[in-house]
Amino acid sequence: DYIDIDDTETEGLKGASGGYAWEEEYKRSWDVIQEDASGSIQSSVEGFSDQLKRRRRLRDTAAVQRGIIRHIVVVVDQSESMAVRDLVPSRIHATLSLLETFVSEFVDQNPISQLSLVATKDGLAEALTELSGNPMDHIGALRDKSNRDLAGEPSLQNALELGMHGLRRAPAHGLREIICVFGSLTTCDPGDIEQTLQALKRAEVRVSMVHLAAEVFAFKRICRETGGRFAVAVDADNMKDALMASVPPPPLSASRATADMVQMGFPIKTSSGSLPTPCACHHQLTFAGHICPRCRAKVCSLPTDCDVCGLPLVSAPHLARSYRHLFPEENYAETAAANVPARACFGCGVEWADGGKAPPSPRNGSAAAAPRHTQTRYQCPGCKQAFCLECDIFVHESLHNCPGCV
C-alpha cells in the first residue's frame, strides 16, 4: 500500500501576488535604492543613514521618577562560543569594541553612577574591575582581553552571584543592575539557578541581557522577572542599539519610588605645589587632587567615594548632568516644509535645499557650492523652531535643552 499525493496542484501554494507563498517574504532591497539625475545613489544612502540615526535617538521622554544613582555590573561571556565569526571579525572582538563605547557613553551620561566588569568562562566567574566611575579602568581591562582567553562554557549562575556580591556595598538609594552579553546557548552552573533568581528579586537587582545567538527561555525568564530587558542582536548595529538602551536610567518601581535624602560632598580641587602628597585612593604621590570636605583626605578624580570616610564625592556639573534625566527633552516631530516658514536650521543656520534658489554646481575648479540641508525638518514642540537631523541629535544627546526655549 502507498499513499498517492498529487503534487501537480499549485493553487494552494500561490500567494496574493501570484507567486509562491515562500517567495513573498523575500524582498528585493536593492530595488528601493534610487538614483538621482546624475546617476548617484548618495541621496538614498543618506536617507537610510538618517532613518537609522533618528531611530536610535527616539527614546522614552516621559517625565517620571528615575534612579539617577546606579550601580551596574557588566558580565561578558568569554566561552568558546564567542569565537564564532558571525560578527566581524568575531563575536568577542565586536563585543569588547562595543563595550568600550558603552562604558564611555554610560559614564558620560551617568557621571554619579558606578560600573564594574565580570567575565565568565570554564564554568567560573572572574571580577575584572571593581565598582568605579573611572572609565579608563574599565576600558583598560577590556583591552587586555582577547580571543586567546576564550575557553569552556560560561556560568550564568556564578556570574550573577559574583555580581550580587559586588553590589552588596551599593547604597540602598541606588539602583542595582546587571547587564549580561552572552553568546552561548548553554550555561554550566554548580547549583539551582532558581535560588539565584529568588535572591536577585530579594536584593532588587535588575538583570538585562543581550544575546548574540538566539532567545533562551531561562535567560529571558530571569530578565523578565527581575524587571530587565532581553534582546537578541542580529548584527553589530542591533547589538549597539540594545546596549545603548541601558544608558538612560530606567523608571523606578512603585516600591522604590520614595524621596530619600542622599548625603554628598563637594570637594575642593587643590595642588600641592612642588612637593607631591599621597592620595587615599591609589596610595601614590600626586601633585593635584581633590580634598574631601569631611576627613580632608585627597582623591585623584571625581566622582568617587572617599576611601577614608566613605562620603560620595561629586562636583556640581556631575550632579546637573544626572539630574537632567528626570526632565528629558521631548522628541521633535518630523514636519513638512509647508508647516515651517524658516529658511534655515535654527541650530546650525544652514539653509534648506528648498528655501531659495538652488546652489550652483561647481565646475572647472570653481568654488564649491554652499551646503544645503534636505527637506526633512524636525520641530521643537515648545518654541516651534525647526532643526535639521544633526542638530536634533545634538540637542538631545549633548545639550539636553532646546536653544530656542531657554
Side-chain angles (χ1 to χ4, degrees):
D1 296 337
Y2 64 92
I3 300 176
D4 187 10
I5 300 178
D6 186 8
D7 56 356
T8 60
E9 183 64 37
T10 60
E11 291 298 328
L13 303 178
K14 295 291 185 178
S17 60
Y20 288 104
W22 59 81
E23 294 178 342
E24 293 187 353
E25 61 182 89
Y26 297 99
K27 298 181 180 180
R28 298 164 57 93
S29 57
W30 52 87
D31 289 342
V32 182
I33 301 177
Q34 302 292 333
E35 297 181 355
D36 55 16
S38 61
S40 175
I41 62 174
Q42 184 65 26
S43 59
S44 297
V45 174
E46 291 178 354
F48 295 147
S49 178
D50 291 350
Q51 294 176 6
L52 180 60
K53 290 179 182 179
R54 181 157 178 81
R55 187 171 67 250
R56 288 177 178 174
R57 204 232 1 112
L58 291 177
R59 62 187 64 181
D60 181 17
T61 59
V64 298
Q65 186 173 356
R66 301 175 184 269
I68 60 176
I69 302 179
R70 309 168 64 189
H71 298 81
I72 292 185
V73 177
V74 180
V75 178
V76 185
D77 181 9
Q78 288 193 311
S79 63
E80 294 178 349
S81 60
M82 295 296 286
V84 179
R85 299 182 178 275
D86 51 357
L87 296 178
V88 180
S90 65
R91 287 181 179 178
I92 186 63
H93 284 88
T95 299
L96 296 181
S97 177
L98 290 177
L99 282 179
E100 290 185 21
T101 305
F102 170 76
V103 168
S104 300
E105 187 70 14
F106 176 83
V107 175
D108 180 68
Q109 300 295 331
N110 304 269
I112 62 175
S113 300
Q114 294 184 353
L115 183 78
S116 67
L117 299 176
V118 171
T120 173
K121 62 179 179 179
D122 274 336
L124 303 174
E126 173 192 6
L128 302 181
T129 58
E130 299 294 334
L131 283 173
S132 171
N134 187 356
M136 299 310 300
D137 295 342
H138 309 306
I139 293 177
L142 291 173
R143 291 177 178 176
D144 290 340
K145 297 297 177 181
S146 61
N147 56 354
R148 66 174 180 272
D149 296 325
L150 307 182
E153 294 185 358
S155 176
L156 180 61
Q157 184 181 23
N158 286 335
L160 295 178
E161 294 283 353
L162 183 59
M164 280 194 298
H165 179 76
L167 293 174
R168 285 180 181 176
R169 69 182 184 93
H173 57 260
L175 290 181
R176 303 174 181 180
E177 304 174 56
I178 298 178
I179 301 177
C180 306
V181 181
F182 260 55
S184 175
L185 296 173
T186 59
T187 174
C188 181
D189 298 332
D192 186 5
I193 192 67
E194 185 67 26
Q195 298 179 1
T196 303
L197 175 58
Q198 299 304 322
L200 289 168
K201 296 168 68 175
R202 289 192 299 268
E204 296 183 332
V205 177
R206 189 192 307 259
V207 180
S208 300
M209 178 176 290
V210 179
H211 208 285
L212 307 182
E215 180 180 301
V216 181
F217 174 78
F219 298 167
K220 185 176 182 180
R221 178 170 173 261
I222 293 176
C223 298
R224 182 181 67 250
E225 296 194 8
T226 57
R229 300 187 183 95
F230 182 88
V232 179
V234 298
D235 53 22
D237 291 335
N238 189 241
M239 179 183 176
K240 182 178 180 180
D241 293 342
L243 283 176
M244 292 305 170
S246 299
V247 171
L252 290 177
S253 59
S255 60
R256 297 181 62 89
T258 58
D260 296 330
M261 299 297 292
V262 181
Q263 191 174 21
M264 292 185 177
F266 296 89
I268 301 175
K269 188 174 182 179
T270 182
S271 178
S272 58
S274 58
L275 295 177
T277 56
C279 67
C281 48
H282 299 94
H283 305 288
Q284 296 178 355
L285 296 176
T286 58
F287 290 95
H290 304 269
I291 302 300
C292 174
R294 175 189 287 177
C295 64
R296 311 302 297 177
K298 188 176 78 170
V299 296
C300 295
S301 61
L302 299 177
T304 186
D305 293 338
C306 180
D307 292 84
V308 177
C309 62
L311 180 67
L313 303 177
V314 299
S315 64
H318 291 154
L319 193 60
R321 287 185 64 83
S322 299
Y323 183 76
R324 62 168 177 76
H325 287 296
L326 303 179
F327 304 98
E329 181 72 12
E330 295 185 26
N331 292 324
Y332 293 170
E334 185 173 345
T335 308
N339 300 331
V340 181
R343 296 183 55 184
C345 170
F346 184 79
C348 60
V350 177
E351 293 186 358
W352 309 107
D354 57 349
K357 185 179 179 180
S361 302
R363 296 179 181 176
N364 302 326
S366 60
R372 294 285 183 104
H373 284 312
T374 60
Q375 296 183 1
T376 306
R377 294 162 171 81
Y378 301 97
Q379 191 175 40
C380 173
C383 62
K384 304 302 181 181
Q385 296 290 347
F387 296 84
C388 64
L389 178 63
E390 297 298 333
C391 291
D392 179 12
I393 296 175
F394 178 73
V395 168
H396 284 83
E397 295 186 355
S398 299
L399 293 182
H400 306 290
N401 284 295
C402 176
C405 297
V406 295

